[in-house]
Amino acid sequence: MRHALSGARMVRGQTSPNPWVGASLVAGGQVIATGVTSPVGGPHAEAAALQLAGSRARGADVYVTLEPCAPFEGKRTQPCAEALIAAGVRRVVVAIEDPDPKVRGRGIQMLREAGVEVSIGDGAEAALELLRPYVKHRQTGLPYVIAKFAASLDGRTATRTGDSKWITGEAARERAHKERAWVDAIMVGSGTVVADDPSLTARPGGELAQRQPVRIVLDSRGRISPDAKLFREPGTTIVATAGGAPAEWKRSIAAAGAQVLECEASGAGLNLDQLLAALGEQGILSIWAEGGATLLGSLFEGHHADEVWAFLAPMVIGSDGRPAVEWRGATTLTEALRLEDVVTEQLGRDVLVRGYTGWWRPQ
């Protein structure tokens, strides 16, 4: 199962909206083949492993990080449960059941009815952690949202004049680009685009990643320019706006290459429930939300953030600096959001603190 999990990690996010899965075949106490899921339309992990193993698959044990898929209407590849049965495998060890209603439990049932021994649960914790975006999307229809910010020790992302480059060092910025490279989308508010004119691309190692996340900008009032840098970058840009935003501005950013997505207005911004549901319908499983403070505050206010990544620099900017999150939040400490399963990492001189909010939990 460790081999299967390692394979799945290698393709994390690269197969979206399908799950990133690893499968290992074992015969005579040795791993004889490990397969991983290909991008949409390509073979699944089990099929890839079976192809590598060939005739050695007969009588082998299979370790897979997610339940093998079963037949369903519209399916474009051979169901993995059928392929395993046809290959004559002896036993299948499944880390977790597939939460997709079209599959849930049916792949396991098919295998057992064909006489294949099936056990469930080995590697479940690691598989679930790896597949949290997929699991949330299949259970709720909504993307998995990671709230990210880089701040000083006193929670500031810029000085009172707006100077913000760079609060964190190269190691922290490189880590952020590696995370950008696996998620489906990067989300920012219009203030970030107006102030910084960012590219919003994934550039691990300083090079453009082959697969670029969708860029999502929330702009309810029509503030961003059609000449913004992000419109000239490879990949897709979605601008979410309100029906009342200027029609000419909408036409201009559509001409610049943006997909314009209209949502209901909510207070000074957009209805995030509606927006996230629409993004989920487009097959976006994971979002790396980089701010600014207003957007992050809205995500916390609506309990939309599933995970937090806070890159903290050993500096103090002062109370007139710009806050990382604009959110009134708790009135007492007992009401404050406390992250779960917290992990800290040293990145050069900076520290990454990450954990789950607990507002959504796998069922």
Side-chain angles (χ1 to χ4, degrees):
M1 187 60 78
R2 284 195 297 269
H3 281 269
L5 286 164
S6 179
R9 290 188 188 98
M10 290 174 59
V11 293
R12 179 176 62 156
Q14 307 303 305
T15 65
S16 186
N18 290 340
W20 34 101
V21 178
S24 290
L25 269 65
V26 176
Q30 300 293 321
V31 175
I32 60 172
T34 297
V36 297
T37 307
S38 296
V40 174
H44 291 186
E46 298 93 326
L50 289 172
Q51 184 176 16
L52 288 171
S55 61
R56 293 180 298 168
R58 183 162 299 276
D61 294 343
V62 182
Y63 292 77
V64 62
T65 58
L66 184 71
E67 175 185 1
C69 58
F72 57 82
E73 186 176 352
K75 185 162 179 49
R76 291 178 289 185
T77 57
Q78 182 187 16
C80 293
E82 286 185 358
L84 292 168
I85 293 166
V89 302
R90 183 184 74 89
R91 182 169 71 118
V92 177
V93 180
V94 177
I96 59 173
E97 186 180 272
D98 193 333
D100 191 323
K102 293 180 291 187
V103 175
R104 190 168 50 210
R106 294 179 54 240
I108 292 169
Q109 181 181 357
M110 282 186 63
L111 290 166
R112 286 174 170 163
E113 288 177 350
V116 178
E117 180 186 341
V118 179
S119 61
I120 307 167
D122 181 26
E125 184 176 350
L128 183 57
E129 180 180 1
L130 183 63
L131 283 168
R132 284 176 72 93
Y134 171 76
V135 172
K136 183 187 178 185
H137 183 266
R138 293 306 194 267
Q139 289 183 346
T140 69
L142 300 173
Y144 186 83
V145 179
I146 303 168
K148 175 263 179 182
F149 57 86
S152 61
L153 292 178
D154 54 340
R156 304 292 156 172
T157 60
T159 68
R160 62 177 179 270
T161 63
D163 186 22
S164 62
K165 294 184 178 177
W166 295 101
I167 286 180
T168 53
E170 289 186 10
R173 297 198 298 274
E174 172 65 15
R175 181 61 182 278
H177 276 287
K178 287 182 177 178
E179 299 305 316
R180 281 182 175 187
W182 77 263
V183 296
D184 287 341
I186 302 172
M187 177 182 284
V188 298
S190 59
T192 296
V193 177
V194 170
D196 300 334
D197 194 23
S199 299
L200 297 184
T201 53
R203 304 184 301 278
E207 301 291 334
L208 278 171
Q210 183 174 4
R211 173 187 177 273
Q212 287 294 320
V214 174
R215 296 177 289 275
I216 303 170
V217 182
L218 276 62
D219 188 350
S220 62
R221 295 176 288 166
R223 301 176 64 201
I224 67 172
S225 168
D227 297 323
K229 189 184 299 182
L230 56 86
F231 292 122
R232 301 191 297 273
E233 298 292 348
T236 302
T237 299
I238 296 174
V239 176
T241 190
E248 180 58 35
W249 170 79
K250 292 177 187 176
R251 286 191 290 270
S252 69
I253 59 169
Q259 174 191 338
V260 179
L261 180 59
E262 289 194 7
C263 301
E264 297 174 356
S266 177
L270 298 172
N271 183 323
L272 291 183
D273 290 302
Q274 186 183 63
L275 172 60
L276 292 171
L279 295 173
E281 288 176 359
Q282 292 194 22
I284 291 177
L285 272 59
S286 55
I287 295 175
W288 181 255
E290 294 203 355
T294 301
L295 171 60
L296 291 177
S298 296
L299 290 170
F300 284 117
E301 180 69 32
H303 291 190
H304 300 298
D306 301 297
E307 197 169 330
V308 176
W309 285 53
F311 294 86
L312 302 178
M315 66 170 69
V316 176
I317 291 176
S319 61
D320 285 346
R322 299 181 180 178
V325 180
E326 289 185 354
W327 175 40
R328 293 185 65 185
T331 56
T332 66
L333 288 180
T334 56
E335 297 173 347
L337 170 62
R338 295 181 184 273
L339 299 182
E340 302 174 353
D341 300 325
V342 174
V343 174
T344 59
E345 300 178 36
Q346 190 81 33
L347 298 170
R349 297 183 64 210
D350 307 315
V351 175
L352 167 62
V353 179
R354 56 185 176 91
Y356 305 125
T357 63
W359 287 325
W360 167 80
R361 300 177 192 277
Q363 301 298 313

